[in-house]
Structures are given as structure tokens and as C-alpha cells.
Amino acid sequence: RGLLQSNPKIGLQVFTSQYDRSETAVDPSAHPISPLEVVAFLKTIVVEADEETLASDEGSIPFHNGTALAATFLTSALGVDKPTTLTHAFGKNNPDLAANHDQLCFLLLEGLIGSTASDGNDSALSKSYRQSLHKFLSWPNALYNANSMKEYFPATFKHEHALLLGKLGLHKEALEILYRDLQDMDLAVGYCDNLYRTQKERERLEG
């Protein structure tokens, strides 16, 4: 606990090293210690490090509190940054694994809401949470329950709602939000490009 408080980056490696060493995703639910138990422990950590020590890798969430530590751990455990197949070898029909995915979604959303300014504008911290959340919501291997997740996302989080609709296969509705509501052609085009790449990769793997 003391190392996590004073130097969270090094302390977290105790929990992530087994996953980071693997070139592809592994099944975290097969580990003798449940990832959700690790998450519960990490969320109790009160980080006392200086700004330099809090810094994470570029594009990642700074290790500023227990939620950030838990989200970073679960991102590593689930292999979100790993080159994986579209369907994990350990399968989609794994309720324990799906629970871990739901938990990561909650952690990233909690961090985003907690770091967003009162006027709704993104801070540097909330931008890092939003980037990580978008990456996870768009991840082809993600097993979170998009239908149940929708109720937890504020109505103002339109981009996130579009990604949830896309996970449900409601691509027309997702594009309507990106193009009509947000009036962002780049987001709409990027969504279509990502959908096309995912479909081509699925065809390659299944062919």
C-alpha cells in the first residue's frame, strides 16, 4: 500500500506485470485472485505522490487517485491495448469476464464525470479519461452490456451514447448523433472507417 501511495506507477506494476509480459490478451478471470478484488483494493488507495511521479505514459490516465489506478490495472488485465482477435480465445459467454468489462466501463465513466468541469468543459484529466473510455467503448473485444450501460451515461455525453448504440448494432442511430446532433463530419467518417476495419478483420479471421 505504501508504494502505491508514494510511487503509484511502480506500485501498480506488481499487479500488471503478469499481463504486460504477455503479447496477447489473457483471461483475467482465470487468475487465482479475482481482478475485481484487486480493483476494490486499488480504489482505496490515497495517492500522495508529487506531480512528476503521478505522470503516466503519454495518452494514459495520470495516477492521481485509486480510481485511476483501478482503471489502469483493469485495462492491462483485459488486454485493451493488446493485439487480440475479435473474439477472445476464452470466449464471449463468460459472465465473470463480462463483469470485469462492465467494471472498467464504470471506472472510466466515474473518472470522466468526476474530472469534468462544472461548465461541462473537459480538463486535461477528463480528456485522458474520455480518450480511454472512447477506446474501450469502441474496442471490438469489449464485452460490456451496452444496453444496461446507457442509463448510467449523462444525456449530455452524446458521443459516448453514439458508441454505445454502435455496440448494439444501431449504426444508423449512432451516426445520426455524430452527424446531426454533434454536427461533426470527422467523427461520423471516423466511425464508419472503424466499422469498416472491424468488419474486414472479422471476415479475415472467420475466413
Side-chain angles (χ1 to χ4, degrees):
R1 180 181 290 271
L3 183 58
L4 282 166
Q5 291 175 320
S6 61
N7 196 323
K9 183 174 184 178
I10 293 178
L12 196 60
Q13 290 175 2
V14 174
F15 300 94
T16 61
S17 59
Q18 61 178 315
Y19 304 110
D20 293 341
R21 284 195 301 266
S22 174
E23 293 184 359
T24 57
V26 297
D27 184 358
S29 62
H31 193 271
I33 300 178
S34 165
L36 296 183
E37 291 181 22
V38 177
V39 166
F41 168 71
L42 291 174
K43 288 196 69 175
T44 67
I45 300 299
V46 178
V47 177
E48 301 171 348
D50 55 35
E51 289 295 324
E52 183 176 348
T53 308
L54 289 177
S56 58
D57 296 332
E58 185 176 356
S60 299
I61 302 167
F63 305 121
H64 67 108
N65 65 11
T67 297
L69 293 176
T72 303
F73 160 73
L74 212 45
T75 297
S76 174
L78 297 178
V80 177
D81 296 321
K82 301 285 185 182
T84 58
T85 60
L86 288 172
T87 303
H88 284 314
F90 25 95
K92 286 187 175 181
N93 299 318
N94 183 333
D96 292 333
L97 185 59
N100 286 292
H101 286 238
D102 284 345
Q103 182 62 57
L104 179 54
C105 195
F106 282 127
L107 287 168
L108 294 172
L109 179 59
E110 176 186 337
L112 174 57
I113 292 175
S115 59
T116 301
S118 57
D119 58 5
N121 291 323
D122 274 343
S123 62
L125 180 58
S126 65
K127 285 180 180 178
S128 67
Y129 272 108
R130 196 178 295 276
Q131 179 181 344
S132 295
L133 180 59
H134 287 182
K135 182 176 183 178
F136 180 63
L137 293 179
S138 305
W139 188 39
N141 284 317
L143 303 178
Y144 61 86
N145 188 326
N147 197 45
S148 64
M149 284 292 167
K150 288 191 299 180
E151 64 180 277
Y152 298 102
F153 281 72
T156 54
F157 283 28
K158 293 186 178 296
H159 190 177
E160 291 75 16
H161 276 281
L163 296 177
L164 290 170
L165 288 170
K167 188 67 174 177
L168 293 169
L170 302 174
H171 303 299
K172 179 181 178 181
E173 291 85 345
L175 285 169
E176 285 180 351
I177 291 176
L178 299 175
Y179 180 67
R180 184 192 64 194
D181 296 352
L182 295 178
Q183 299 182 348
D184 195 320
M185 176 63 77
D186 289 339
L187 283 180
V189 171
Y191 179 93
C192 292
D193 287 344
N194 185 61
L195 185 62
Y196 175 78
R197 287 193 300 270
T198 300
Q199 183 60 39
K200 297 300 290 185
E201 181 67 6
R202 178 177 289 110
E203 291 174 358
R204 183 186 69 82
L205 292 169
E206 294 177 350

